[in-house]
Amino acid sequence: MTDTTPAARLRAEASVENVGAFPQGFRWGLATAAYQIEGAAHEGGRGPSIWDTFSHTPGLSHHGDTGDIACDHYHRWEADLDLLASLGVTDYRLSVSWSRLQPGGRGDLNPAAVAFYRELLAGLSARGIRPLVTLYHWDLPQPLEEEGGWPVRDTAYRFAEFATKTVEALGDLASDWVTLNEPWCSSFLGYGRGAHAPGRQDYRAAIHAAHHLNLAHGLAVAGIRAARPGASVGITNIVTDIVPATDAPDDAAAALRLDASSNRIFLDPVYLGEYSAAVWDTLGERGLAEVVLDGDLAIIAAPTDFAGVNHYQRVIASHDESQPFDVLEVPAEPATTSFGWSVIPASLTSVLTRVSREFTPLPIYVTENGASYNDYVDPNGDVVDTERVDYLRGYLSAAGDAIEAGVDLRGYYAWSFLDNFEWAEGYSKRFGLVWVDYRTQERIPKLSAHWYRRLIEDHRAAVAHFAA
Ligand code: IFM
């Protein structure tokens, strides 16, 4: 009997029109992060991170949700890897937990954590899936926050030590490493806006944190290269598409300030070896000048092997002196996700071409892109997330446009493999291509997961066709 369910019909029309633009060997991936999926917060010698402290503080996370259990991936990783393999992906981006591997933030690695990640990485290898491992996805060990956290210079050195030891311990099982995920979130959301851990509201501290995160990246690159000379290393930045609200000079200047304080403060030093005038003008007097020491920029600009780009939003900037850096930012319309974020695929083409033309000729990976929607399990037991399918089709087509425009894009990791702990939003926002029932830990691949698998097959067929 023919299957005529919506899922089957949409599966049948999987491809994006320009799938042939994606090169042979393109990495088709899914992404996660340790605190968002692992759970087992008190097992295997793991210590508390700033996210344990933040999420356990009443009023800070949605409904008081925490990552204590999350997707229980720590116990279910084998079945999860089987599921991942069944989705046909070639690649998987995961992060390791600093507070699991080095609970005190310094010294020897915790052998139980090393064993866990070695098994996990070997499990990926056994399934033919290449890992891309992020060393810091926001889970600073709490003891280091108590010593001052990222606003303190020494934290950069602590991270370099952790990164070096981790790559020494795991580098035979993974060759691709991301130092930091989205340092903008760690610094400006964590220490400025206070919406993320550790929840401080001090923009001077946030700017200090931003520079120390950049420094941490550069120091870690050197340590990783020394530990594993063949490793491939890069950093992942969130790159936001920013447009001024009007043609008025004030709004144009506001857009430049927002670009300086969200994009350029991280892209400039890593890829251009400097903080540009826009960054100095916006942030110099607000704290940056106090922390940049002689020699830092050369450390931060250590050559890398690829550029990681996470992209989620276009935002509109207008001049508003009541806001940080005198900029009011609002999400661009028209369509929005359940987070209120814009759905404008051309923004992805725009940020990829910008990174490639203005910042670096390195190969680029979209290390995250995705959307939260109000998914639900229907009476048939299916999760028919047509909005996410449309989102992925649009953004992947936009990625194809960037490739056609000359961007050296080598891979795309959809966020996220599983529904998971969405930080201060707790479990209220679902980004997964796989539904997670948090009560039973049942997993249900959504329509988007079937669609993505079929797209990967379409690409394989297109590559074979052009090779023939
Ligand atoms: O869930 C996060 C992820 O941890 C980092 N990038 C953005 C995602 C969606 O908010």
Side-chain angles (χ1 to χ4, degrees):
M1 201 168 73
T2 315
D3 183 354
T4 57
T5 60
R9 275 187 273 120
L10 272 159
R11 263 201 308 275
E13 46 180 78
S15 214
V16 297
E17 265 175 32
N18 53 5
V19 73
F22 292 80
Q24 184 167 17
F26 192 79
R27 299 183 181 196
W28 295 103
L30 290 166
T32 61
Y35 188 68
Q36 294 182 272
I37 64 165
E38 282 181 5
H42 308 291
E43 290 179 51
R46 182 183 178 280
S49 78
I50 54 174
W51 270 99
D52 296 276
T53 308
F54 183 92
S55 63
H56 279 270
T57 304
L60 294 187
S61 72
H62 184 83
H63 285 175
D65 291 345
T66 74
D68 285 3
I69 299 171
C71 305
D72 195 30
H73 176 71
Y74 185 79
H75 298 114
R76 295 167 192 267
W77 64 268
E78 284 182 277
D80 283 342
L81 295 197
D82 287 342
L83 175 58
L84 189 62
S86 78
L87 300 182
V89 296
T90 59
D91 287 75
Y92 176 53
R93 175 172 179 240
L94 68 152
S95 81
V96 290
S97 159
W98 187 352
S99 58
R100 194 179 286 291
L101 278 162
Q102 200 186 36
R106 45 167 50 84
D108 290 343
L109 296 187
N110 164 19
V114 171
F116 169 67
Y117 288 117
R118 288 194 65 80
E119 277 198 280
L120 188 59
L121 292 171
L124 284 166
S125 168
R127 290 163 180 81
I129 299 171
R130 176 177 29 208
L132 172 61
V133 186
T134 304
L135 287 154
Y136 185 71
H137 199 121
W138 306 356
D139 43 3
L140 185 71
Q142 183 62 30
L144 293 184
E145 177 57 24
E146 276 148 30
E147 292 173 26
W150 286 110
V152 167
R153 189 175 173 91
D154 188 57
T155 304
Y157 290 87
R158 299 280 61 75
F159 175 70
E161 181 202 43
F162 160 69
T164 305
K165 288 186 169 171
T166 298
V167 175
E168 272 165 7
L170 305 177
D172 56 328
L173 295 168
S175 51
D176 300 328
W177 298 88
V178 169
T179 53
L180 307 176
N181 180 69
E182 299 175 353
W184 176 79
C185 298
S186 305
S187 50
F188 287 92
L189 292 184
Y191 293 92
R193 208 178 285 175
H196 276 191
R200 286 167 59 181
Q201 294 181 330
D202 173 353
Y203 275 94
R204 188 163 290 272
I207 293 164
H208 293 174
H211 178 67
H212 294 144
L213 282 151
N214 286 334
L215 182 65
H217 157 76
L219 292 167
V221 170
I224 292 167
R225 297 246 188 262
R228 296 272 175 185
S232 174
V233 194
I235 182 171
T236 277
N237 276 299
I238 191 162
V239 187
T240 300
D241 189 24
I242 296 166
V243 293
T246 69
D247 291 341
D250 268 4
D251 287 340
L256 290 180
R257 286 196 300 280
L258 187 58
D259 185 43
S261 58
S262 48
N263 295 326
R264 296 207 77 118
I265 184 172
F266 302 105
L267 298 173
D268 281 352
V270 169
Y271 300 117
L272 306 179
E274 61 175 18
Y275 288 118
S276 59
V279 171
W280 280 118
D281 289 350
T282 309
L283 306 173
E285 300 275 295
R286 291 176 160 108
L288 189 61
E290 293 158 3
V291 287
V292 181
L293 303 187
D294 283 352
D296 284 2
L297 287 163
I299 293 170
I300 297 167
T304 50
D305 302 298
F306 61 86
V309 171
N310 289 1
H311 176 69
Y312 287 95
Q313 291 206 70
R314 173 179 292 176
V315 299
I316 297 174
S318 50
H319 181 86
D320 181 339
E321 288 174 15
S322 70
Q323 300 293 320
F325 316 123
D326 303 337
V327 188
L328 174 69
E329 52 179 304
V330 292
E333 292 291 343
T336 53
T337 68
S338 73
F339 228 129
W341 296 352
S342 62
V343 181
I344 304 176
S347 283
L348 179 60
T349 318
S350 161
V351 300
L352 291 174
T353 49
R354 180 181 186 206
V355 169
S356 160
R357 289 176 190 163
E358 286 183 40
F359 292 99
T360 179
L362 287 171
I364 297 177
Y365 296 101
V366 172
T367 39
E368 282 181 33
N369 172 240
S372 64
Y373 287 111
N374 297 319
D375 306 324
Y376 60 93
V377 183
D378 71 15
N380 299 316
D382 294 326
V383 183
V384 184
D385 58 338
T386 47
E387 294 136 307
R388 185 170 292 99
V389 170
D390 287 345
Y391 180 100
L392 291 172
R393 183 184 280 120
Y395 277 81
L396 277 160
S397 170
D401 291 346
I403 295 170
E404 282 166 342
V407 174
D408 186 6
L409 183 68
R410 305 276 182 95
Y412 175 94
Y413 298 75
W415 184 268
S416 177
F417 169 35
L418 302 170
D419 288 336
N420 58 48
F421 177 77
E422 178 52 31
W423 308 112
E425 301 300 325
Y427 297 100
S428 69
K429 299 284 183 281
R430 292 182 177 270
F431 278 87
L433 275 67
V434 172
W435 169 275
V436 175
D437 180 327
Y438 295 112
R439 194 173 51 87
T440 63
Q441 293 295 346
E442 184 190 3
R443 275 76 161 133
I444 303 174
K446 302 178 191 176
L447 175 61
S448 54
H450 299 296
W451 180 87
Y452 196 49
R453 176 174 51 206
R454 174 66 197 279
L455 175 71
I456 297 166
E457 285 164 12
D458 284 355
H459 178 245
R460 197 172 299 123
V463 167
H465 174 76
F466 289 124

